[in-house]
Amino acid sequence: MEIVSEKREQQPIHYYCLLTDYYRYDLMVAYSNHFFGKAVVTSLQNGQMVLLCSEDIEAEQYWAQKLGIEKQDVGEFRNFFHLILQSQGYVEQYC
């Protein structure tokens, strides 16, 4: 095995416990300079991860099922993600 790249950084990581009328969600959000400026959002309940930025919020078909968000809670999560995700704009993949 050969390591072809390694980069270390100090990442701000936030843990959220969110309650809706019927469900509880535990999320971890890590902000990084990698991944085209998107945040790494992980469901601590199912272990699934998605990369999200403010431009992705309206595409709930991409993130809701992976994070285990029930249909009736998607609107509240859109509002939540608008509060916590900063717009990073488009970042070139390869410079």
Side-chain angles (χ1 to χ4, degrees):
M1 178 182 338
E2 178 181 347
I3 297 173
V4 294
S5 177
E6 178 183 7
K7 186 172 183 179
R8 295 178 188 220
E9 66 178 338
Q10 295 288 327
Q11 295 179 340
I13 299 174
H14 301 260
Y15 296 92
Y16 297 95
C17 177
L18 305 164
L19 297 175
T20 64
D21 289 337
Y22 301 101
Y23 298 99
R24 172 185 167 161
Y25 302 94
D26 296 298
L27 300 177
M28 180 197 72
V29 180
Y31 297 93
S32 174
N33 291 323
H34 294 284
F35 311 116
F36 317 110
K38 296 186 178 200
V40 179
V41 181
T42 305
S43 167
L44 298 176
Q45 288 149 319
N46 69 15
Q48 295 265 345
M49 179 275 295
V50 295
L51 299 174
L52 283 180
C53 67
S54 60
E55 288 81 14
D56 299 322
I57 294 171
E58 298 305 317
E60 69 270 0
Q61 69 276 9
Y62 167 68
W63 52 264
Q65 184 177 2
K66 289 179 185 174
L67 295 175
I69 310 302
E70 299 294 329
K71 280 187 178 185
Q72 62 266 35
D73 295 330
V74 168
E76 288 187 71
F77 269 86
R78 274 196 217 107
N79 294 337
F80 169 71
F81 286 139
H82 277 295
L83 288 174
I84 67 163
L85 298 176
Q86 294 91 24
S87 177
Q88 298 287 325
Y90 178 75
V91 178
E92 286 289 333
Q93 181 176 2
Y94 301 104
C95 299

